Amino acid sequence: MFLSSTILCLALLVYHEARNQPVIGQQAVMGVAYNRSKHKNYPNSVCSVVKQSDQFSWYKGSLKPPSREKESWEKSYKLASDFYTKKTNHTKGAIFFNTTRMGVRYKVTTENGKPCKIGGHIFY
């Protein structure tokens, strides 16, 4: 059950935060949650990161798969499953992301000290 709940958390994250982004951008969003789960200032599991208070506006206390946009949901779940097994991480260690319209909002935290832009998001 642990595996499927982690994949569910990743799938919901990518569905709500990046379903309109290219695959590399969707992987990067999941990479941020993964990076946070390995960071000392965040909970040590992906689901705990996703459920953390005031982190993701779409999370309202429930991890139910969406009932609309079935095709987008299925793609999100497949990507999450692939990410979980391969950990394809394009973020250079980023623990934050937001839309490019907002710019960088926090101290840069990527491994090389520079933010990276992927699709419509900036990762840092």
Side-chain angles (χ1 to χ4, degrees):
M1 192 54 111
F2 171 77
L3 174 66
S4 61
S5 64
T6 300
I7 293 171
L8 177 63
C9 290
L10 287 169
L12 285 165
L13 178 65
V14 77
Y15 175 85
H16 288 289
E17 297 286 344
R19 70 179 175 267
N20 66 340
Q21 295 298 305
V23 169
I24 190 172
Q26 294 173 343
Q27 291 169 333
V29 164
M30 290 184 285
V32 166
Y34 177 78
N35 294 344
R36 284 185 184 186
S37 75
K38 303 300 178 200
H39 193 278
K40 64 181 177 164
N41 294 341
Y42 291 92
N44 64 359
S45 77
V46 169
C47 283
S48 295
V49 165
V50 168
K51 294 176 185 178
Q52 192 175 18
S53 180
D54 300 324
Q55 296 301 303
F56 301 105
S57 61
W58 58 267
Y59 180 72
K60 306 288 188 223
S62 174
L63 291 174
K64 292 182 183 175
S67 57
R68 301 178 320 173
E69 298 186 42
K70 186 177 180 180
E71 186 177 328
S72 292
W73 169 246
E74 288 171 357
K75 287 172 79 174
S76 297
Y77 195 86
K78 169 89 169 85
L79 277 168
S81 182
D82 290 347
F83 178 86
Y84 186 83
T85 57
K86 298 174 187 163
K87 307 276 189 310
T88 306
N89 199 333
H90 306 285
T91 65
K92 301 179 177 84
I95 58 172
F96 300 106
F97 72 92
N98 51 258
T99 68
T100 54
R101 293 185 308 266
M102 296 173 72
V104 176
R105 300 184 63 200
Y106 301 94
K107 180 182 172 189
V108 175
T109 57
T110 57
E111 292 165 359
N112 67 3
K114 297 178 182 177
C116 59
K117 180 183 177 296
I118 302 173
H121 289 107
I122 296 175
F123 298 85
Y124 47 98

